[in-house]
Amino acid sequence: MTKQPFTTKEKLEEIAAQFPTPFHLYDEAGIRRNAQALKDAFAWNKGFKEYFAVKATPNPFLIKILREYGCGCDCSSKTELMLSKAIGAVGDDVMFSSNDTPADEFKYAADMGAIINLDDITHIEVLEKTLGCLPERLCCRYNPGGEFKITTDIMDNPGEAKYGMTTEQIFEAFRILKAKGVKEFGIHAFLASNTVTNAYYPVLAGVLFDLAVRLKKETGANIRFINLSGGVGIPYRPDQEPNDIAEIGRGVKEVYDRTLVPAGMGDVAIFTELGRFMMGPYGALITRVINEKHTYKEYIGVDACAANLMRPAMYGAYHHITVMGKENAPSDYTYDVTGSLCENNDKFAVDRALPKIEIGDLLYIHDTGAHGFSMGYNYNGKLRSSEILLKKNGDFEMIRRAETPKDYFATFDCFPEFYNKVLNA
Ligand SMILES: *Cc1c(COP(=O)(O)O)cnc(C)c1O
């Protein structure tokens, strides 16, 4: 299998003539198609709602597209809450799934009516102190510990994860919250990341639905929703089979009908907090080859760097690369594709088989639509790129400008003598 770019070399050159590389490009048609597919997959559940994980792609213009499909926002910080509020997502449209939370952020979330998801039992007291009283509706995050397995495959290691409450704690938390007057409850868990298997959500649903039945029975809590959170992955590698969201929806429904319905809980809403699955494949980092170097290895130097896409440097993550205009050429060269950071791990690809590359070629780095731009940073004084939306009708639009030196130095603006000098340097 090969991975196809969602656009052509001609279109990219047209965009690059107006907005210099590097830039992250997003595919409106793809985002819409996928959002509709998710909605259809869970249409069987009356209260279903996707809360898009804002941290994955915090661009208001992209999230507004998802809002047309009924999506809300999953936030983890005050600035993400601010972004959501500014695009009209407040109240039931916001899930605040944070951890190690500062008290003032609980306050901000409560003031906008967001659903607060408690990561820890100690936050009950913090919340009560901060708000004066508890909201009538609260969610608790669960961590069953140990390893998370699908049949015999270990998917992830919740026992080593900092998130969520233990089984004992979540029962205790529900009792305390109920005694303090909380009326509506939700439960949440995120137990494995980037799962490329249709089994993840159904297996997770099994864990959470069983827990919900027990929590209801033992504490009498009125459980209104179960949040399956994120973790549905995408095929970064060309040999991976993509998840089938319709199949995943059917898998969750089967567990729902088997577990919740017989327990008299057939009105519980299913929530999701997908980030990667909603945006990942519908973004690409477009970068131009500016140098080649032949030493102990063959290096291709591009005008983007790990500051624009950190995943390869940080996790050794694979991102497929297409050399635009050479889609059908044989991959008979082996390159390291590098950025310019003074960091040897600033490589988008290591020992990658690619067609012969020339200076000036445009590289299309796939699947950067989630956890791409958003993980950017300014090391080596590198500036964040622009973000461009490729619209359904083929037009394109800048949805965030590139940073300039002025942005980089902005936090010195309280020292006018330096600030004015450096900007004029
Ligand atoms: C990061 C995150 C998500 C989204 O994860 P994806 O892997 O992008 O789907 C959802 N919920 C919480 C609480 C998160 O931290």
Side-chain angles (χ1 to χ4, degrees):
M1 247 193 303
T2 65
K3 284 177 82 81
Q4 301 292 339
F6 56 72
T7 187
T8 61
K9 180 177 183 219
E10 290 64 40
K11 181 55 80 177
L12 290 180
E13 288 293 3
E14 190 189 335
I15 299 170
Q18 202 174 330
F19 303 107
T21 55
F23 53 82
H24 283 269
L25 183 69
Y26 300 92
D27 174 26
E28 180 184 0
I31 293 169
R32 287 186 182 278
R33 216 184 314 117
N34 185 65
Q36 185 64 49
L38 174 72
K39 198 173 164 183
D40 293 345
F42 286 90
W44 56 267
N45 182 256
K46 194 162 162 281
F48 175 77
K49 193 172 182 81
E50 150 72 0
Y51 290 86
F52 176 67
V54 172
K55 73 164 191 263
T57 324
N59 188 303
F61 301 98
L62 297 174
I63 300 174
K64 272 202 224 164
I65 299 173
L66 296 178
R67 300 268 297 140
E68 291 179 39
Y69 299 82
C71 297
C73 295
D74 163 40
C75 300
S76 59
S77 65
K78 180 168 176 185
T79 44
E80 290 179 1
L81 290 167
M82 290 167 71
L83 188 156
S84 302
K85 193 172 171 188
I87 58 172
V90 295
D92 285 358
D93 279 350
V94 180
M95 183 71 58
F96 187 49
S97 290
S98 59
N99 70 93
D100 185 22
T101 314
D104 66 306
E105 301 200 0
F106 279 134
K107 172 90 170 66
Y108 192 90
D111 285 348
M112 66 192 269
I115 304 173
I116 292 175
N117 183 13
L118 296 177
D119 180 66
D120 189 50
I121 193 164
T122 58
H123 286 151
I124 296 173
E125 207 182 315
V126 176
L127 200 60
E128 201 174 23
K129 240 187 227 156
T130 309
L131 304 181
C133 66
L134 291 173
E136 291 207 337
R137 173 182 57 183
L138 275 173
C139 183
C140 291
R141 184 167 183 167
Y142 178 53
N143 182 338
E147 286 163 341
F148 182 76
K149 291 185 189 161
I150 294 180
T151 59
T152 55
D153 290 346
I154 298 172
M155 304 298 292
D156 223 318
N157 206 342
E160 292 293 322
K162 66 173 175 170
Y163 309 108
M165 306 182 193
T166 67
T167 308
E168 240 174 44
Q169 286 170 341
I170 200 168
F171 277 86
E172 178 69 7
F174 267 53
R175 282 191 201 97
I176 296 171
L177 292 172
K178 197 148 183 293
K180 289 181 180 291
V182 173
K183 296 201 166 54
E184 299 187 353
F185 289 79
I187 55 177
H188 168 283
F190 189 162
L191 303 186
S193 195
N194 191 33
T195 57
V196 190
T197 157
N198 294 332
Y200 171 62
Y201 258 6
V203 171
L204 171 68
V207 173
L208 287 182
F209 296 174
D210 283 340
L211 175 71
V213 171
R214 283 178 50 205
L215 278 167
K216 184 186 168 179
K217 207 182 277 169
E218 293 178 31
T219 70
N222 174 19
I223 295 173
R224 302 309 315 144
F225 65 87
I226 293 171
N227 186 340
L228 301 177
S229 186
V232 175
I234 60 169
Y236 286 101
R237 291 177 180 272
D239 58 353
Q240 285 177 304
E241 183 73 28
N243 284 324
D244 177 347
I245 197 65
E247 181 64 31
I248 290 172
R250 282 193 291 275
V252 174
K253 179 174 193 300
E254 199 192 298
V255 187
Y256 190 99
D257 290 343
R258 178 158 31 93
T259 317
L260 292 181
V261 175
M265 299 174 74
D267 59 349
V268 171
I270 300 300
F271 293 167
T272 56
E273 282 176 346
L274 297 169
R276 195 184 316 269
F277 183 79
M278 302 309 287
M279 290 286 189
Y282 316 110
L285 175 59
I286 311 301
T287 181
R288 202 179 288 281
V289 176
I290 54 171
N291 286 295
E292 53 182 282
K293 176 167 178 172
H294 316 280
T295 54
Y296 304 104
K297 297 185 89 172
E298 293 297 299
Y299 294 103
I300 291 296
V302 297
D303 61 5
C305 65
N308 306 111
L309 175 67
M310 198 198 238
R311 300 185 69 258
M314 191 174 184
Y315 314 116
Y318 181 96
H319 278 264
H320 199 64
I321 296 178
T322 298
V323 185
M324 297 307 290
K326 299 181 180 175
E327 288 85 345
N328 299 313
S331 292
D332 47 8
Y333 283 74
T334 301
Y335 295 113
D336 281 15
V337 178
T338 83
S340 56
L341 292 189
C342 304
E343 272 278 6
N344 196 43
N345 62 355
D346 182 16
K347 293 179 178 177
F348 293 115
V350 175
D351 297 329
R352 183 75 57 88
L354 288 166
K356 181 166 174 47
I357 293 178
E358 269 121 328
I359 289 178
D361 280 346
L362 279 178
L363 303 191
Y364 177 106
I365 303 180
H366 290 251
D367 302 317
T368 70
H371 312 291
F373 178 95
S374 61
M375 291 176 83
Y377 57 115
N378 284 121
Y379 191 50
N380 269 197
K382 295 294 173 181
L383 303 176
R384 289 180 184 80
S385 78
S386 60
E387 294 184 288
I388 313 287
L389 178 63
L390 180 63
K391 306 223 267 190
K392 304 189 279 211
N393 64 6
D395 291 349
F396 55 91
E397 187 181 10
M398 184 182 71
I399 53 173
R400 188 196 302 258
R401 68 162 169 81
E403 279 182 343
T404 65
K406 197 171 173 183
D407 298 310
Y408 181 74
F409 293 113
T411 43
F412 289 113
D413 60 358
C414 47
F415 307 103
E417 205 186 318
F418 171 77
Y419 185 63
N420 295 328
K421 200 180 277 178
V422 73
L423 290 184
N424 293 319

